[in-house]
Amino acid sequence: MKNMELRLRVNGETHQWTIAPGDILLDVLRREGFYGVKRGCEKGDCGACTVLINGKAVNSCLMFAAHAEGCEVTTIEGLAHGDELHPLQEAFLDHGAVQCGFCTGGMILNAKALLDRNPNPSEHEVREVMAGDYCRCTGYEKPVEAVLAMAAVSRKTARR
Ligand code: FES
Ligand code: FES
């Protein structure tokens, strides 16, 4: 099948890439250098390939790149500003919620999508979202603590 042009924004920058109609978004993003998008199960089970598409968490291994036409894509590379980490990244570090790091980008992006739509999630809601991220290292306690702590700090700051 003929190649096509894909126009989208990734982490705030506009891109135009030549893709095949059957290309998967995970493959295209990694091909273009966004290595924070991890290749895990490629079946929608592990969450390592999570990106935000127009603010919604999506498994990029299950999405045709062509369907991202015109979308705003956020990968884990897009969260920090230079040397300044996103508060969720800081919280993960502060709470010892990162070990090998393979799942961490997906966890943080899933947590961001949750907190953007619900700044005051219950522990149960955080655990439900994290259930889509397989982690072999942390046992989930620390990532859940990190997300709840960051949410609490954000609420306090917003009240000031
Ligand atoms: S690689 Fe996409 S969910 Fe596992
Ligand atoms: S920190 Fe290693 S898989 Fe989660």
Side-chain angles (χ1 to χ4, degrees):
M1 234 186 274
K2 255 177 68 182
N3 283 347
M4 56 188 288
E5 294 302 300
L6 169 67
R7 281 163 297 267
L8 75 178
R9 283 169 64 80
V10 183
N11 303 332
E13 285 187 9
T14 303
H15 295 275
Q16 179 166 343
W17 297 324
T18 303
I19 60 164
D23 280 353
I24 297 299
L25 184 60
L26 165 65
D27 297 326
V28 172
L29 287 169
R30 289 184 59 86
R31 189 162 78 210
E32 297 298 336
F34 296 94
Y35 300 118
V37 188
K38 298 295 184 209
R39 185 189 307 283
C41 65
E42 297 182 89
K43 290 193 299 201
D45 290 334
C46 75
C49 65
T50 300
V51 297
L52 303 183
I53 306 281
N54 298 336
K56 200 172 160 228
V58 167
N59 290 328
S60 63
C61 68
L62 296 184
M63 182 170 171
F64 286 121
H67 288 168
E69 172 71 24
C71 291
E72 184 74 49
V73 179
T74 306
T75 70
I76 192 66
E77 288 94 340
L79 258 56
H81 294 289
D83 288 344
E84 197 187 318
L85 294 179
H86 185 280
L88 263 173
Q89 293 172 308
E90 292 281 8
F92 267 61
L93 288 178
D94 290 349
H95 286 80
V98 181
Q99 289 187 33
C100 81
F102 191 80
C103 69
T104 308
M107 276 197 180
I108 288 178
L109 287 169
N110 269 309
K112 181 174 186 324
L114 169 67
L115 295 179
D116 286 348
R117 65 175 187 272
N118 175 10
N120 189 15
S122 64
E123 182 176 335
H124 177 72
E125 286 167 317
V126 174
R127 284 186 183 279
E128 254 190 340
V129 162
M130 294 288 175
D133 297 290
Y134 287 2
C135 179
R136 294 168 191 220
C137 310
T138 66
Y140 297 94
E141 288 303 322
K142 290 177 187 300
V144 170
E145 271 173 36
V147 175
L148 289 170
M150 190 248 150
V153 170
S154 300
R155 287 195 302 275
K156 221 184 264 171
T157 316
R159 261 187 252 126
R160 281 196 194 129

